[in-house]
Amino acid sequence: MSGSQTSVQLPVLDISQPVHTYSLSSLSEACREWGFFHITNHGISKDLHGKMYVLSNQLFALPTDSKLKLGPLSSIKTYTPHFIASPFFESLRVSGPNFYDSAKSSADVLFNPASSEFSEILQEYGNKMVEISRKILEYVLACLGDGFGQYYGSEFSKCHGYLRIINYSPPNTVIDEQVEGLGMHTDMSCITILYQDEIGGLQVRSKEGEWMDISPSKGALVVNIGDMMHAWSNGRLRSSEHRVVLKQSRNRLSLAFFWCFEDEKVIFAPDEVVGKGKSRNYKPFVCSDYLRFRESSEKGKFEKVGYTVKDFAGSGPLE
Ligand SMILES: O=C(O)CCC(=O)C(=O)O
Ligand SMILES: [Fe+2]
């Protein structure tokens, strides 16, 4: 495959505008076609992103032994070391609703002494992400049609979020454009909010199976629809396969925030969402069962694809 990929043009949603005044046609189209769009006026300052950047670099610069104290064999398990998602990928998870406590439990192990700044910044970022996720859900529900906003309270009020801080280290050898930092997968979330730095490398797979670049857009964040929302909307909102390719011989940082249904939630697309005369594409399923399915299917290790919600709960027409 040759050189640079085509970039996909995604609409930019200004989330400071009230939902009811917004023209949702290009957003609806993007949610159906790509499952990806950008947002601006999200309220995350350059300064806060800058702080997150510094803190992430400090974190990943620590010796491997220190980071592994939070690894898969530890009791905390917030750190994903290299060679799980890919040789070039490592990440730290910080979970809500109390981002301060979650960050602190990792920081206490990593840093000696741990400063409260680390946890304070993550708390600020996490709380902002929760606020933004709630706003975005309102727009996304409105994309399904008038009156769908009512589902916000009844179906999405118990959502919770977690943040994954990700560091991609480049290989030592010359970079072939197709080196994957994170392989093809769909997200399991309702929605994901992503900050990618200026290096880029995020790609979405078109319905025809072609990889398209999602180029970094200054000041904007990337949003994508995940499997939970895809299934809940009966497939009307697309959860797209995506991946990260390594572009330059420089570290790449990203911050991925996953806004998810509660574990015990049974996902079942409401009749109005399915629409009259249409059939249900997914059998009802419990969220945690799907999460477990993705963890335990060998190919699905660490959200790697091969398996998606279609394999798990896809069905022929249900009565
Ligand atoms: O690092 C990125 O840009 C994307 C990360 C991602 O897709 C994920 O963590 O699910
Ligand atoms: Fe993802």
Side-chain angles (χ1 to χ4, degrees):
M1 237 197 202
S2 72
S4 62
Q5 242 73 27
T6 328
S7 285
V8 55
Q9 292 302 314
L10 298 174
V12 183
L13 170 68
D14 174 354
I15 63 165
S16 68
Q17 303 295 316
V19 177
H20 63 273
T21 63
Y22 216 85
S23 163
L24 293 163
S25 55
S26 58
L27 184 66
S28 308
E29 161 84 13
C31 287
R32 281 196 308 269
E33 213 32 53
W34 296 106
F36 274 85
F37 56 92
H38 281 115
I39 57 165
T40 51
N41 289 326
H42 41 67
I44 306 266
S45 64
K46 243 179 146 177
D47 182 54
L48 181 54
H49 268 138
K51 284 181 183 158
M52 289 292 294
Y53 207 89
V54 170
L55 157 167
S56 308
N57 281 330
Q58 280 167 357
L59 161 77
F60 292 115
L62 290 169
T64 306
D65 283 356
S66 307
K67 294 183 282 191
L68 282 177
K69 288 183 194 152
L70 302 172
L73 302 177
S74 72
S75 56
I76 299 187
K77 299 187 195 332
T78 48
Y79 176 66
T80 301
H82 292 127
F83 292 99
I84 290 191
S86 89
F88 317 107
F89 175 108
E90 59 179 330
S91 74
L92 184 83
R93 195 185 65 238
V94 181
S95 304
N98 194 330
F99 295 96
Y100 185 93
D101 285 356
S102 175
K104 186 171 185 310
S105 62
S106 291
D108 284 346
V109 175
L110 289 175
F111 303 107
N112 189 13
S115 80
S116 60
E117 205 195 350
F118 181 89
S119 315
E120 282 161 10
I121 295 169
L122 279 160
Q123 169 174 253
E124 187 183 350
Y125 194 81
N127 288 345
K128 280 254 161 64
M129 282 292 137
V130 169
E131 216 179 285
I132 298 172
S133 302
R134 292 193 170 127
K135 266 195 199 165
I136 293 171
L137 262 185
E138 289 188 49
Y139 293 93
V140 168
L141 287 174
C143 283
L144 292 172
D146 284 343
F148 284 86
Q150 58 152 327
Y151 289 108
Y152 183 81
S154 56
E155 299 268 336
F156 293 89
S157 61
K158 293 198 197 125
C159 280
H160 66 102
Y162 66 96
L163 176 71
R164 196 182 277 148
I165 307 172
I166 308 172
N167 181 43
Y168 298 88
S169 335
N172 296 325
T173 50
V174 176
I175 293 202
D176 164 339
E177 278 249 0
Q178 303 307 316
V179 176
E180 288 181 347
L182 179 58
M184 177 171 84
H185 67 282
T186 56
D187 290 352
M188 296 183 277
S189 55
C190 287
I191 53 167
T192 303
I193 306 175
L194 180 80
Y195 165 81
Q196 62 165 342
D197 70 13
E198 73 290 350
I199 294 175
L202 178 65
Q203 295 184 333
V204 58
R205 197 159 174 260
S206 72
K207 286 181 179 166
E208 293 73 37
E210 193 189 347
W211 285 111
M212 309 280 286
D213 280 333
I214 297 183
S215 306
S217 170
K218 234 186 160 84
L221 294 169
V222 177
V223 175
N224 66 287
I225 306 287
D227 291 339
M228 292 178 180
M229 193 64 179
H230 176 87
W232 185 86
S233 69
N234 201 35
R236 288 173 61 188
L237 305 167
R238 180 163 181 232
S239 172
S240 303
E241 290 150 335
H242 54 282
R243 67 175 185 177
V244 175
V245 293
L246 303 176
K247 295 230 153 176
Q248 290 176 23
S249 47
R250 267 175 58 198
N251 274 48
R252 174 185 189 269
L253 181 84
S254 68
L255 305 167
F257 184 81
F258 302 93
W259 189 240
C260 306
F261 280 133
E262 64 276 20
D263 284 358
E264 62 279 11
K265 162 117 186 145
V266 177
I267 299 189
F268 185 65
D271 288 344
E272 296 81 352
V273 175
V274 176
K276 272 207 180 75
K278 301 254 172 63
S279 50
R280 263 198 182 75
N281 296 321
Y282 295 95
K283 296 174 228 160
F285 65 93
V286 179
C287 277
S288 58
D289 289 343
Y290 178 52
L291 303 186
R292 238 184 330 251
F293 165 81
R294 283 285 293 268
E295 272 163 24
S296 60
S297 59
E298 203 192 322
K299 249 172 123 185
K301 205 174 169 190
F302 197 81
E303 302 189 13
K304 272 221 158 162
V305 126
Y307 294 107
T308 69
V309 70
K310 289 193 185 76
D311 304 290
F312 180 69
S315 70
L318 271 186
E319 288 313 310

